[in-house]
Amino acid sequence: MTPRVRVPETGYNFAYLDEATKRMIRRALLKAVAIPGYQVPFAAREMPMPYGWGTGGVQVTAAILGRNDVLKVIDQGSDDTTNAVSIRAFFARTAGVAVTTRTRDATVIQTRHRIPEAPLAEGQVLVYQVPIPEPLRFLEPRETETRQLHALAEYGPMHVKLYEDIARHGHIATTYAYPVEVAGRYVMDPSPTPKFDNPKMDDCPALQLFGAGREKRIYAVPPYTRVRSLDFEDHPFRVQHFDRPCALCGAGDVYLDEVLTDDAGGRMFVCSDTDHCEARREAGHRGEGA
Amino acid sequence: MALARGFADPVHDAQGAFRAMLDALARPGLVQALPAALAPPAPLTSELAAIALALADADAPVWLDGPLAEAPEVEEFLRFHTGARLVADPAEAAFALVADPEACPDFSAFAQGSPAYPDRSTTLVLAVRHLAAGEGLAFEGPGIRGRVRLGVAPLPAGFAARWSANHALFPRGIDLLLAAPGRVAGLPRTARLLEA
């Protein structure tokens, strides 16, 4: 695993951001936690990475990170893709914090579009990278109007969208960024996680923080908070099901990625959560393709 | 008299205080350790000072209650270390520091936020003597596993009715941080006070 870098790079403040910026983000975070699911505007800074690569998540992580934190970063469940590797290296260099790929060892987990398969614990913070924080944005492009809709808890348009899915496809066809209602009030975009992960947000022991850098919004779900996926009585919310287990570790209750293995149509389905898959294989579980 | 010093390690002391506050508001009613090795001028407590130094600045105005506002050394200390504007109108404050909770003005005197921007409300920081989990007032709500009990003294007069009124304003309303020596607990506006 990546060795612990104990001495941060010189020339930068701890965790890159200056203290005034951290205070501004920290104030936004406290209000976000006090109003679950509500998007708090914040003055997002330019970060040394392009928008869309997790500038919001990185700023939230930088604002909460302490010397004793252990950081894990995942991109679509994987610890070893470019985005995850570079953000992990960024904080190892600018903050000197310990990093890990093991979900249970981490105190702060920054994620792009997955929630780890292993259950999260009370001491952990999950930081989501969010591209479009406004769940109503594709229904109403004007920020002034969506803000009013949230103020009035007027979420009819979202139910109409889900209903149109049913009218057109016979079922709710939204499979990711599936809207949720937080603590019975605000409708929130869970970021483009597969809807498979939505049930993990409900009554989760860990604190969940969301950062959208380009859109300059922070929001939060406190631990043990009701997170309900929107649905209808006759079309209840359902997660995806896979007709085969993971080819490497044999897990049948996880979210799978399709991996092409050659140019002749060969493919295998494997855990999207690489740490979960590795841990299972270390414990002796084997899939058909292993 | 020389000005009392601020954080010995501004970066990490501020981070530690912030994480204690984040945990306090994310897990209402649970008491978090708040190490605060400051020696601010009385009646400002070490914990109130740590919270102010961690979060207040030129963008976050601070309101001081009677006992604090009457002490020029407190004003000097906060002005020097935070650069925050000290406001006379509680409705303008991002943070309100309250050394005497029993005489705390009505919560409605502080910024409540608007329906469109409920985050623009004051966070009240009360200096309390007693803070203990597992006894006293019972709360339910987001961040609370089932139900939690929090013993606090002293509290603002008529607290139960005032807190219920504040809770009823949701999503508007103030949030509370309760700071006792070495400890902090939080009551966000979502915390619902149960009948005794």
Side-chain angles (χ1 to χ4, degrees):
Chain A
M1 289 299 102
T2 319
R4 176 169 182 162
V5 185
R6 286 185 182 277
V7 183
E9 199 109 326
T10 56
Y12 296 100
N13 188 27
F14 177 81
Y16 185 79
L17 287 179
D18 61 278
E19 290 302 300
T21 299
K22 286 187 196 169
R23 275 196 299 275
M24 174 269 296
I25 296 172
R26 286 168 180 169
R27 290 193 297 262
L29 283 168
L30 294 185
K31 288 301 175 191
V33 162
I35 317 165
Y38 164 76
Q39 303 162 50
V40 182
F42 82 112
R45 305 296 195 237
E46 287 207 18
M47 297 301 285
M49 61 184 68
Y51 286 134
W53 284 67
T55 55
V58 161
Q59 290 179 79
V60 170
T61 300
I64 66 171
L65 211 57
R67 272 184 295 209
N68 298 324
D69 276 313
V70 181
L71 179 69
K72 170 183 165 84
V73 185
I74 52 173
D75 171 7
Q76 304 274 12
S78 169
D79 292 279
D80 51 14
T81 54
T82 311
N83 201 203
V85 170
S86 46
I87 290 173
R88 202 162 59 227
F90 175 76
F91 283 114
R93 284 175 62 181
T94 60
V97 293
V99 294
T100 185
T101 59
R102 294 202 177 273
T103 300
R104 65 171 180 276
D105 294 344
T107 56
V108 176
I109 303 172
Q110 183 172 327
T111 175
R112 175 176 176 272
H113 313 350
R114 270 316 305 282
I115 299 173
E117 304 288 359
L120 299 176
E122 285 212 345
Q124 296 181 310
V125 183
L126 188 59
V127 179
Y128 294 74
Q129 302 172 197
V130 182
I132 310 280
E134 178 50 72
L136 303 167
R137 181 61 68 231
F138 293 106
L139 306 170
E140 170 51 68
R142 291 167 295 180
E143 168 66 14
T144 47
E145 294 304 306
T146 52
R147 193 155 280 281
Q148 278 305 311
L149 293 173
H150 283 294
L152 300 168
E154 173 50 270
Y155 296 121
M158 184 57 87
H159 283 101
V160 171
K161 177 193 179 281
L162 296 176
Y163 170 73
E164 284 178 348
D165 266 8
I166 296 169
R168 201 169 294 162
H169 306 286
H171 60 99
I172 297 177
T174 305
T175 54
Y176 67 96
Y178 191 104
V180 294
E181 177 198 76
V182 181
R185 176 57 173 81
Y186 283 96
V187 165
M188 183 188 94
D189 184 336
S191 86
T193 50
K195 69 176 178 179
F196 182 87
D197 285 339
N198 276 21
K200 296 179 193 162
M201 306 180 79
D202 181 34
D203 204 33
C204 175
L207 170 62
Q208 303 175 76
L209 305 175
F210 299 77
R214 177 178 42 210
E215 302 289 325
K216 299 177 171 50
R217 295 291 184 272
I218 281 172
Y219 51 104
V221 176
Y224 304 116
T225 296
R226 180 87 174 100
V227 177
R228 186 178 69 83
S229 301
L230 298 185
D231 62 358
F232 300 99
E233 275 175 22
D234 51 344
H235 285 272
F237 173 79
R238 283 202 195 90
V239 299
Q240 294 100 328
H241 280 287
F242 299 90
D243 54 8
R244 65 192 86 187
C246 169
L248 295 178
C249 77
D253 53 352
V254 297
Y255 193 76
L256 299 180
D257 280 344
E258 182 181 16
V259 179
L260 298 181
T261 51
D262 54 37
D263 57 2
R267 62 193 59 197
M268 66 198 293
F269 287 84
V270 298
C271 286
S272 129
D273 184 337
T274 53
D275 171 60
H276 185 71
C277 199
E278 274 169 27
R280 278 180 54 84
R281 277 179 283 155
E282 277 168 22
H285 297 280
R286 286 285 176 277
E288 284 175 2
Chain B
M1 203 185 102
L3 188 69
R5 65 171 177 78
F7 285 134
D9 184 342
V11 170
H12 299 289
D13 290 355
Q15 190 272 341
F18 163 71
R19 275 291 274 275
M21 288 183 267
L22 181 67
D23 283 340
L25 284 170
R27 299 166 197 281
L30 297 188
V31 179
Q32 311 291 335
L34 177 64
L38 294 168
L44 190 63
T45 68
S46 181
E47 290 70 29
L48 255 53
I51 289 170
L53 265 56
L55 291 178
D57 61 23
D59 295 327
V62 174
W63 178 88
L64 302 176
D65 78 339
L68 292 172
E70 283 162 20
E73 310 81 38
V74 169
E75 185 178 322
E76 194 185 3
F77 176 86
L78 290 172
R79 278 193 200 284
F80 180 81
H81 287 297
T82 68
R85 203 155 51 91
L86 300 178
V87 293
D89 179 2
E92 285 180 35
F95 294 95
L97 303 184
V98 180
D100 180 7
E102 281 165 311
C104 180
D106 203 78
F107 293 151
S108 60
F110 297 93
Q112 310 288 302
S114 64
Y117 292 95
D119 56 303
R120 296 179 182 173
S121 69
T122 307
T123 303
L124 270 67
V125 189
L126 308 187
V128 298
R129 285 189 299 276
H130 175 77
L131 191 59
E135 56 168 67
L137 302 169
F139 294 93
E140 282 181 357
I144 300 170
R145 187 179 195 179
R147 173 176 300 192
V148 74
R149 280 186 176 276
L150 182 67
V152 193
L155 273 174
F159 178 77
R162 288 166 70 175
W163 186 253
S164 296
N166 181 65
H167 173 74
L169 285 175
F170 186 85
R172 299 165 68 232
I174 58 121
D175 306 304
L176 280 183
L177 284 168
L178 308 158
R183 305 188 300 287
V184 66
L187 289 177
R189 62 197 82 176
T190 48
R192 188 163 62 85
L193 178 62
L194 302 175
E195 299 289 324

